């Protein structure tokens, strides 16, 4: 049986299915995660946990994710393997990272200098478009969906997800990336892999800034605005990869403490802008000016003092 | 919770997750998904009520830490604790 070896989200993966869109390889026999074909009993009921999680995708198949180490997949008759791979590397891999107790955000990321900046937001918030526009300006691509953050001696670091950027056809056209359009991501959607311009650099890099994406008409003013620690922590909880998994897997405490480490070491900003494609270059220029201003250096945040004496300074609800 | 008085005994809601970040304390209610931040004085009050304490007890400790007249301290702590009770950050265990 053929086995493929990949490097994804900082983990070495051995897979019995070729993973379309994967960029980097690891050596055989060094895998920390196995992806296997297998039959999963239809009657199987698994309470979601760090030990096991049963993911069902209608018309695609079922994925049993165990112990943060193994994904067994059982495809429905007639399912397109390409579609299965997308769910495998999105949802299933995100669940696996949670099972390992890692901090996982729903975010895109690019490298800037020796560090990484990330962009959080729900689907359709423009994460991939912004990453693509920055990649087009020469910033190395890190991820557009699953963002695994680790800690190296308390400093937050980001692992590349090891897959190609994925863009809707409309975005490919608008950013003039047609020459780099690769295969279709899903059988049923106009979404395509974007072939990388350069070889990916797998080494984890320090996280230097986090932007929470907002659409311009949701806020009184556009631009970049730094968040208080409480707001930042609440928004990072909201932007966890599938945040409902945290309570299911008894990870709330771990995630809370990890996000506190994150906001202590990394500034978090709102980036409020219009989703209009014609304004993307302007947003890129604004970000570049902000990075010059930051010097892309490590920002300790202990000096923040936007608090009132003896008062609850913020009550940030999750939606 | 209008019944909060200086003699009311309060304690932490132990369901909250919390972490000190610099001078501040950040808390999260896993039940409601809300986040709260306390400044250094609020953080000090949180430390004091690790065991049930009356509002008067809290004021007595704060007056040792900070130079503040008793009446001002009591009024501000009562208002603050009332807010904490409303947000279910702390519980009144006895009046």
């Amino acid at each position: 049986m053929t086995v493929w070896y990949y490097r994804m989200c900082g983990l070495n993966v051995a897979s019995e299915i070729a993973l379309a869109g994967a960029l980097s390889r690891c050596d055989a026999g060094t895998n920390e995660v196995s992806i296997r074909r297998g039959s999963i009993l239809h009657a199987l009921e698994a309470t979601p946990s760090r030990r096991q999680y049963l993911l069902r995708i209608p018309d695609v198949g079922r994925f049993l994710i165990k112990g943060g180490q193994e994904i067994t997949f059982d495809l429905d008759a007639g399912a397109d393997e390409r579609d299965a791979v997308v769910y495998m590397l999105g949802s299933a891999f995100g669940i696996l990272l949670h099972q390992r107790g890692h901090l996982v955000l729903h975010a895109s990321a690019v490298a800037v200098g020796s560090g990484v900046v990330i962009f959080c937001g729900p689907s359709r918030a423009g994460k991939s478009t912004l990453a693509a526009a920055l990649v087009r300006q020469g910033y190395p691509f890190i991820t557009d969906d699953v963002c695994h953050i680790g800690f190296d001696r308390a400093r937050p670091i980001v692992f590349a997800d090891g897959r190609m950027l994925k863009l809707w056809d409309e975005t490919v056209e608008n950013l003039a990336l047609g020459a780099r359009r690769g295969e279709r991501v899903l059988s049923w959607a106009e979404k395509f892999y974007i072939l990388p311009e350069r070889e990916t650099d797998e080494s984890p890099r320090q996280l230097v800034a986090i932007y929470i994406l907002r659409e311009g008409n949701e806020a009184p003013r556009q631009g970049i605005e730094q968040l208080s620690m409480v707001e930042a922590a609440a928004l990072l909880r909201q932007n966890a990869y599938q945040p409902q998994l945290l309570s299911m897997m008894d990870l709330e405490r771990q995630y809370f403490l990890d996000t506190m480490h994150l906001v202590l070491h990394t500034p978090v900003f709102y980036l409020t802008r219009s989703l209009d494609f014609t304004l993307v270059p302007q947003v890129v220029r604004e970000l570049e000016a902000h990075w010059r201003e930051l010097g892309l250096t490590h920002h300790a945040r202990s000096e923040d003092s936007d608090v009132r004496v003896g008062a609850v300074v913020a009550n940030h609800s999750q939606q | 919770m209008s019944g909060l008085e200086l003699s009311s005994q309060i304690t932490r809601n132990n369901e909250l997750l919390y972490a000190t970040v610099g001078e501040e304390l950040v808390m999260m209610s896993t039940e409601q998904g809300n986040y709260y931040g306390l400044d250094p004085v609020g953080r000090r009050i949180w430390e004091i009520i690790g065991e049930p304490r009356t509002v008067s007890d809290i004021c007595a400790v704060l007056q040792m830490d900070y130079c503040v007249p008793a009446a001002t301290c009591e009024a501000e702590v009562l208002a603050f604790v009332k807010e904490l009770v409303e947000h279910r950050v702390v519980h009144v265990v006895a009046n």
Side-chain angles (χ1 to χ4, degrees):
Chain A
M1 181 189 302
T2 312
V3 178
W4 286 266
Y5 294 91
Y6 302 99
R7 177 92 178 146
M8 311 208 111
C9 296
L11 296 170
N12 288 353
V13 179
S15 176
E16 293 179 3
I17 185 172
L19 302 177
L23 285 171
S24 29
R25 309 277 159 176
C26 71
D27 294 331
T30 62
N31 56 298
E32 298 155 289
V33 175
S34 306
I35 297 176
R36 299 196 172 107
R37 288 176 199 276
S39 49
I40 299 170
L41 288 175
H42 274 277
L44 178 72
E45 290 293 338
T47 306
S49 72
R50 291 180 73 169
R51 202 170 56 79
Q52 67 173 12
Y53 189 107
L54 181 62
L55 174 71
R56 295 184 179 87
I57 305 292
D59 302 325
V60 175
R62 286 165 308 138
F63 304 83
L64 185 62
I65 305 131
K66 289 170 85 171
Q69 294 181 322
E70 194 182 299
I71 302 173
T72 304
F73 62 94
D74 189 351
L75 301 190
D76 292 349
D80 191 317
E81 285 206 351
R82 171 172 42 184
D83 295 348
V85 167
V86 175
Y87 292 104
M88 183 98 71
L89 298 182
S91 302
F93 215 80
I95 291 164
L96 179 134
L97 290 168
H98 277 310
Q99 283 182 335
R100 296 177 77 94
H102 293 319
L103 182 55
V104 200
L105 294 176
H106 193 201
S108 68
V110 297
V112 178
S114 58
V116 170
V117 302
I118 69 175
F119 303 97
C120 298
S123 295
R124 295 285 187 168
K127 295 187 297 294
S128 300
T129 301
L130 194 50
L134 290 162
V135 166
R136 218 171 162 272
Q137 292 296 110
Y139 295 95
F141 175 67
I142 304 292
T143 182
D144 67 354
D145 183 34
V146 181
C147 185
H148 170 198
I149 296 169
F151 293 94
D152 177 19
R153 282 161 291 168
R155 288 183 325 168
I157 49 171
V158 180
F159 296 93
D161 86 340
R163 285 184 291 166
M164 291 178 207
L165 177 62
K166 304 175 287 297
L167 292 178
W168 293 99
D169 198 36
E170 188 193 7
T171 314
V172 175
E173 294 305 322
N174 278 302
L175 294 177
L177 282 163
R180 285 165 56 192
R181 186 196 325 246
E183 284 177 36
R184 192 179 275 271
V185 175
L186 285 160
S187 61
W188 49 268
E190 296 299 308
K191 202 170 193 181
F192 297 88
Y193 288 111
I194 301 301
L195 305 171
E197 209 162 66
R198 62 181 82 186
E199 213 169 293
T200 46
D201 176 4
E202 270 305 316
S203 52
R205 300 182 193 216
Q206 195 185 339
L207 176 59
V208 289
I210 300 172
Y211 297 89
I212 310 287
L213 299 181
R214 285 199 299 190
E215 197 177 344
N217 49 18
E218 289 172 12
R221 60 174 189 275
Q222 298 198 334
I224 295 168
E225 175 195 349
Q226 185 156 2
L227 298 170
S228 72
M229 271 190 265
V230 178
E231 286 174 311
L235 284 161
L236 291 175
R237 170 67 177 66
Q238 247 176 53
N239 284 282
Y241 195 82
Q242 301 185 0
Q244 75 282 4
L245 294 173
L246 299 175
S247 56
M248 284 180 186
M249 293 188 183
D250 196 22
L251 285 166
E252 291 282 14
R253 186 181 171 75
Q254 177 72 44
Y255 196 88
F256 175 77
L257 294 174
D258 283 348
T259 49
M260 295 322 299
H261 270 295
L262 206 53
V263 299
L264 187 60
H265 290 93
T266 315
V268 182
F269 306 93
Y270 265 136
L271 170 56
T272 311
R273 81 281 181 250
S274 160
L275 287 180
D276 185 344
F277 273 117
T278 60
L279 298 175
V280 169
Q282 192 182 311
V283 177
V284 169
R285 283 195 297 276
E286 194 177 349
L287 281 168
E288 288 181 320
H290 193 228
W291 296 337
R292 283 193 294 276
E293 206 179 293
L294 290 177
L296 280 187
T297 48
H298 177 79
H299 272 223
R301 305 222 20 228
S302 56
E303 298 303 309
D304 280 9
S305 59
D306 52 342
V307 291
R308 288 184 285 129
V309 170
V312 175
V313 294
N315 169 20
H316 209 94
S317 303
Q318 298 197 56
Q319 280 130 32
Chain B
M1 292 298 160
S2 57
L4 192 75
E5 291 170 20
L6 289 173
S7 58
S8 301
Q9 202 173 39
I10 59 164
T11 191
R12 295 173 182 175
N13 173 358
N14 284 323
E15 299 292 307
L16 291 181
L17 299 175
Y18 64 93
T20 50
V21 190
E23 296 273 279
E24 287 179 52
L25 186 78
V26 176
M27 299 184 285
M28 182 204 174
S29 148
T30 51
E31 190 187 316
Q32 300 163 76
N34 291 345
Y35 278 71
Y36 305 97
L38 299 186
D39 69 356
V41 180
R43 177 183 158 185
R44 184 74 185 105
I45 293 174
W46 181 259
E47 286 165 3
I48 297 167
I49 59 168
E51 297 290 327
R53 290 276 185 274
T54 65
V55 177
S56 291
D57 291 341
I58 298 169
C59 291
V61 177
L62 290 181
Q63 281 176 74
M64 286 191 277
D65 294 353
Y66 304 94
C67 184
V68 55
T72 312
C73 187
E74 285 171 1
E76 290 188 358
V77 171
L78 270 174
F80 177 57
V81 170
K82 190 168 171 245
E83 204 179 345
L84 295 181
V85 172
E86 280 166 7
H87 287 289
R88 295 164 67 183
V89 170
V90 302
H91 297 307
V92 178
V93 287
N95 262 318

